[in-house]
Amino acid sequence: MASSTKTVLIPIAHGTEPLEAVAMITVLRRGGADVTVASVEDKVGVDACHGIKMVADTLLSDITDSIFDLIVLPGGLPGGETLKNCKPLEKMVKKQDTDGRLNAAICCAPALALGTWGLLEGKTATGYPVFMEKLAATCATASESRVEIDGRIVTSRGPGTTIEFSITLIEQLFGKDKADEISKILLVRPNPGEEFSFTEINQTNWSFEDTPQILVPIAEDSEEIEAIALVDILRRAKANVVIAAVGNSLEVVGSRKCKLVADVLLDEVAEKSFDLIVLPGGLKGAPRLASCEKLVNMLKKQAETNKPYGGICASPVYVFEAHGLLKGKKATTHPSVSNKLSDQSHVEHRVVVDGNVITSRAPGTAMEFSLAIVEKFYGRQKSVQLAKATLV
């Protein structure tokens, strides 16, 4: 297909799986799609799963007559049920199918929405494992593929398959060359589905009392997949994760214009102690974090007291390297800035742990990064369990 602008609708609801929604929004926007995020609720703000708040671009009720090249449904409960029961959305998706345009769904949405609406009859489709029986009752063949394409319908399995799913949708809209280009930028995992691993040097025990207290600061232009993967995975592990906004507003617009809502302002927690402070990246977002004096002071205190801190993408360079927080440490970072690390011996590694410092590379490594943190706090069994549950 020609590489012209394509329009995409992503509906969200209370209880939508945020990592799926955010990954789809941001990856498709990277690919050049004009993505509209629409709330099926009566307000643009939604309470997604795992205590994560998102803000849509518009209400679905305001755009029901609009035409899109692709409508793609995230999963999550009860969000998937809400999408299924939304009659205006059902009408739009059915018209999409009748007119021969693309529909896509992930996790519970293939079974709950597309299947219930009768769009999977005679089709091969996939979905989240616990919904396979329900899926099989609505389609010709229930597949365990990570991504399944049948005609003008694309389906996928869960949070850990969302980037692959989104890259497939880019290929459907813009062609293979564009999909390969975005896949390379994101550092998509070369062996999806295989057991994850990370590089560890100077092994150190990461301790905590009762529950790990983790701070995830975010700023304007922070990379959204990296931020939400950390919060999503670590809250699944039952860590107490605080999202803190650097600046004066709880609502933060990320690098791909995805609107997120922090729990607190950083100023409110600047004097508190955390077992881990971990930063998302973003080529513009990381410098914003680096310029926050209070955050830098918190990180320096973390280092002085031998408590863990970490960063992904551009943060190891712009925050840690720039403020002397990588002295004597091996680290990795995004390929576009890796030449700025004073020690480049480990820049090709996807996740590096050196004592109390953990670093990683890009959106495509964010789930491995998050799972490595889970492993450091809870052990290998817990991290593997979560990797399987999220289909990493």
Side-chain angles (χ1 to χ4, degrees):
M1 297 176 68
S3 186
S4 58
T5 301
K6 302 292 183 181
T7 56
V8 178
L9 171 65
I10 299 179
I12 60 174
H14 297 318
T16 285
E17 168 41 59
L19 183 48
E20 292 169 358
V22 165
M24 295 187 308
I25 295 163
T26 59
V27 174
L28 285 162
R29 283 177 175 164
R30 281 179 183 270
D34 179 4
V35 179
T36 299
V37 184
S39 168
V40 303
E41 309 289 352
D42 59 5
K43 56 184 181 179
V44 291
V46 304
D47 295 322
C49 296
H50 315 299
I52 295 170
K53 299 178 185 297
M54 299 177 61
V55 181
D57 303 318
T58 185
L59 298 177
L60 186 80
S61 57
D62 291 337
I63 58 167
T64 52
D65 293 329
S66 299
I67 301 296
F68 296 91
D69 294 295
L70 165 67
I71 299 177
V72 53
L73 312 182
L77 289 173
E81 287 281 359
T82 302
L83 297 185
K84 178 194 76 173
N85 294 326
C86 179
K87 294 301 181 183
L89 178 62
E90 178 181 354
K91 183 178 179 182
M92 292 175 77
V93 171
K94 284 182 173 177
K95 182 174 182 359
Q96 190 87 350
D97 188 67
T98 301
D99 292 348
R101 293 190 299 274
L102 280 168
N103 281 309
I106 191 169
C107 193
C108 63
L112 290 183
L114 299 186
T116 300
W117 297 338
L119 298 181
L120 298 182
E121 292 179 14
K123 299 285 188 182
T124 298
T126 190
Y128 194 72
V130 297
F131 287 91
M132 291 302 281
E133 187 174 331
K134 185 173 182 64
L135 182 67
T138 67
C139 69
T141 305
S143 164
E144 293 188 1
S145 298
R146 292 175 67 82
V147 181
E148 189 68 54
I149 307 170
D150 192 332
R152 306 301 289 164
I153 291 179
V154 184
T155 52
S156 190
R157 307 211 77 189
T161 69
T162 310
I163 290 183
E164 299 154 67
F165 175 56
S166 303
I167 293 292
T168 300
L169 296 176
I170 288 175
E171 183 171 350
Q172 292 289 305
L173 291 171
F174 298 105
K176 190 175 187 307
D177 287 348
K178 175 58 74 171
D180 290 345
E181 174 193 332
I182 301 302
S183 182
K184 185 176 180 180
I185 291 170
L186 296 175
L187 295 183
V188 173
R189 210 168 164 220
N191 53 344
E194 292 184 16
E195 195 164 299
F196 83 99
S197 62
F198 59 93
T199 301
E200 184 162 21
I201 304 151
N202 300 318
Q203 187 171 356
T204 304
N205 181 49
W206 289 15
S207 61
F208 62 92
E209 292 183 10
D210 300 324
T211 303
Q213 305 296 313
I214 299 174
L215 179 68
V216 178
I218 59 174
E220 294 291 311
D221 295 311
S222 284
E223 211 297 320
E224 301 96 330
I225 294 177
E226 294 162 359
I228 295 305
L230 283 163
V231 179
D232 189 304
I233 295 295
L234 292 169
R235 283 183 175 165
R236 285 175 185 262
K238 306 304 182 188
N240 181 37
V241 182
V242 176
I243 310 170
V246 170
N248 300 316
S249 173
L250 290 177
E251 186 174 315
V252 171
V253 179
S255 63
R256 300 294 153 182
K257 308 307 175 189
C258 194
K259 300 169 188 173
L260 307 175
V261 182
D263 304 317
V264 296
L265 298 178
L266 185 77
D267 287 354
E268 298 173 53
V269 295
E271 301 303 319
K272 291 190 176 181
S273 176
F274 292 92
D275 298 305
L276 169 70
I277 300 175
V278 59
L279 314 183
L283 292 176
K284 294 181 180 179
R288 293 184 191 278
L289 295 178
S291 66
C292 176
E293 186 177 351
K294 285 184 179 178
L295 176 59
V296 172
N297 287 338
M298 292 176 77
L299 287 163
K300 287 181 176 178
K301 184 179 178 182
Q302 203 80 357
E304 289 165 4
T305 55
N306 292 317
K307 285 189 169 183
Y309 55 96
I312 187 171
C313 190
S315 284
V317 162
Y318 288 116
V319 185
F320 299 163
E321 180 79 25
H323 291 286
L325 292 165
L326 288 180
K327 287 180 180 176
K329 297 290 185 181
K330 305 296 184 184
T332 188
T333 188
H334 194 272
S336 66
V337 294
S338 60
N339 63 339
K340 298 180 186 294
L341 282 181
S342 54
D343 183 343
Q344 298 176 30
S345 61
H346 283 65
V347 294
E348 295 296 327
H349 294 242
R350 293 175 67 82
V351 181
V352 176
V353 181
D354 187 345
N356 286 323
V357 179
I358 181 168
T359 53
S360 190
R361 305 201 76 191
T365 71
M367 291 195 75
E368 297 153 75
F369 180 53
S370 305
L371 288 164
I373 293 170
V374 171
E375 184 161 332
K376 288 301 298 177
F377 279 123
Y378 294 100
R380 183 68 178 174
Q381 184 177 352
K382 181 74 167 181
S383 66
V384 170
Q385 177 189 16
L386 266 178
K388 289 179 178 176
T390 53
L391 297 160
V392 172

